[in-house]
């Protein structure tokens, strides 16, 4: 079950962190994985690491916020006679800049755009670039990584991030309706607190998580592997929450 042999998966921002965990699980399930990252060296190292474990992995550096780069790279794959069966929209946070946490009233207009570019436009660009090919071939899986901040209001200074995540998740619901008849699904995995956030932020929150631990990138990989599989063909427009039970709705 959930075998991904003969499938090609593009995972954005998978040079490290959650994305690398997703790429690792999909590769172990048999997929050929394309490791996207804006950091070329990081993408190459991650792909090399997975290949050294016997997987099929290639670096695919580009910036998801630049539609022309995204289109050129995806068209390049199609031109080589290859295809993308699975797209995981994983790039998020504040892109390749440190995560800014500030109350909305204190944010300057110059600080808004980056969150929307990375967390919403990045998803729009990559989804648009792969969708026609998936529909023409009659199979495709789009999975967008979101956050609890996109499901609920929080007083921790992440309003623009949360707004962009909610927008990307809602795009998946609309796309799910439009492409369902073509055998393509579009889903969301909404994450709770992961084990790569600073200890100062996470330590006090761990006792409030029913499973008493932070999320591991592999936890996300297992959830994505299900949604990416043939077997999940009747699951679409859905948000799968992976948060250790922190908010049970
Ligand atoms: N870490 C958490 O606690 C947490 C919680 C909830 C949701 N999430 C979501 O999970 C996803 C992954 O988070 P993470 O903490 O593993 O991220 P990360 O910041 O550790 O890694 C993201 C990778 O994306 C790359 N990247 C950044 N901007 C890019 C761009 N424009 N184009 C291509 N690549 C780019 C970076 O170089 C980096 O390697 C994000 O969508 C994030 O919003 C994370």
């Amino acid at each position: 079950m959930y075998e991904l042999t003969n499938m090609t998966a593009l995972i954005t921002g998978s040079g490290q962190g959650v994305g690398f965990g997703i790429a690792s699980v999909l590769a172990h399930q048999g997929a050929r994985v394309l490791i996207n990252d804006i950091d070329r060296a990081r993408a190459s190292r991650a792909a090399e690491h997975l290949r050294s474990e016997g997987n099929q992995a290639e670096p695919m550096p580009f910036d998801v916020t630049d539609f022309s780069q995204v289109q050129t790279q995806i068209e390049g794959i199609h031109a080589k006679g290859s295809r993308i069966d699975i797209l995981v929209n994983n790039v998020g946070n504040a892109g390749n800049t440190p995560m800014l946490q500030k109350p909305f009233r204190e944010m300057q207009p110059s600080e808004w755009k980056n969150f929307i570019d990375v967390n919403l436009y990045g998803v729009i660009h990559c989804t648009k670039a792969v969708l026609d090919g998936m529909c023409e071939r009659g199979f495709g899986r789009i999975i967008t990584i979101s956050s609890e901040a996109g499901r609920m209001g929080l007083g921790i200074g992440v309003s623009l991030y949360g707004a962009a995540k909610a927008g990307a998740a809602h795009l998946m619901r609309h796309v799910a309706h439009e492409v369902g008849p073509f055998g393509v699904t579009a889903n969301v995995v909404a994450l709770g607190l992961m084990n790569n956030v600073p200890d100062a932020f996470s330590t006090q929150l761990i006792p409030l998580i029913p499973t008493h631990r932070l999320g591991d990138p592999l936890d996300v990989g297992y959830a994505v592997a299900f949604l990416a599989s043939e077997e999940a063909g009747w699951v679409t427009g859905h948000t799968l929450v992976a948060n250790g039970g922190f908010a049970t709705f």
Side-chain angles (χ1 to χ4, degrees):
M1 277 214 295
Y2 312 144
E3 280 197 23
L4 304 175
T5 315
N6 297 327
M7 292 198 201
T8 298
L10 167 63
I11 305 102
T12 68
S14 53
Q16 68 175 24
V18 170
F20 182 72
I22 295 168
S24 177
V25 173
L26 299 190
H28 282 95
Q29 290 304 106
R32 167 184 170 234
V33 293
L34 303 176
I35 306 285
N36 161 258
D37 209 287
I38 198 169
D39 183 326
R40 183 175 290 268
R42 191 177 287 166
S44 295
R45 276 197 306 273
E48 176 56 40
H49 182 116
L50 291 178
R51 280 199 303 275
S52 73
E53 294 175 340
N55 302 297
Q56 300 176 74
E58 291 160 42
M60 197 174 168
F62 62 82
D63 178 353
V64 300
T65 69
D66 179 344
F67 187 49
S68 67
Q69 277 191 43
V70 174
Q71 255 187 327
T72 305
Q73 291 294 325
I74 308 276
E75 279 167 9
I77 291 192
H78 292 153
K80 281 191 227 155
S82 190
R83 60 179 199 272
I84 291 171
D85 305 294
I86 302 160
L87 165 68
V88 185
N89 290 307
N90 168 74
V91 167
N93 295 330
N96 62 349
T97 61
M99 185 74 178
L100 172 82
Q101 287 185 237
K102 244 188 195 184
F104 181 64
R105 287 177 62 206
E106 292 174 17
M107 285 187 87
Q108 298 306 310
S110 60
E111 293 168 332
W112 297 342
K113 191 172 177 292
N114 187 35
F115 286 111
I116 309 297
D117 279 350
V118 168
N119 292 287
L120 181 54
Y121 269 108
V123 175
I124 294 171
H125 294 160
C126 296
T127 303
K128 170 71 178 163
V130 301
L131 215 43
D132 283 347
M134 288 179 174
C135 289
E136 281 157 20
R137 291 187 299 274
F139 180 89
R141 299 283 183 262
I142 314 272
I143 299 141
T144 293
I145 304 301
S146 187
S147 163
E148 291 293 53
R151 293 202 312 138
M152 64 178 94
L154 295 167
I156 56 171
V158 292
S159 54
L160 265 289
Y161 169 72
K165 285 295 197 198
H170 210 60
L171 175 71
M172 293 298 106
R173 296 181 193 108
H174 282 278
V175 167
H177 275 264
E178 293 181 12
V179 300
F182 298 93
V184 180
T185 66
N187 289 290
V188 175
V189 179
L191 309 184
L193 213 50
M194 301 300 298
N195 62 10
N196 63 351
V197 296
D199 288 352
F201 185 63
S202 63
T203 307
Q204 59 200 348
L205 294 171
I206 292 175
L208 304 177
I209 302 171
T211 48
H212 282 186
R213 69 172 176 88
L214 301 170
D216 185 275
L218 294 178
D219 292 319
V220 186
Y222 303 137
V224 169
F226 164 65
L227 292 171
S229 68
E230 296 255 13
E231 288 87 346
W234 212 51
V235 180
T236 193
H238 178 65
T239 295
L240 195 165
V241 178
N243 66 358
F246 184 66
T248 49
F249 66 89

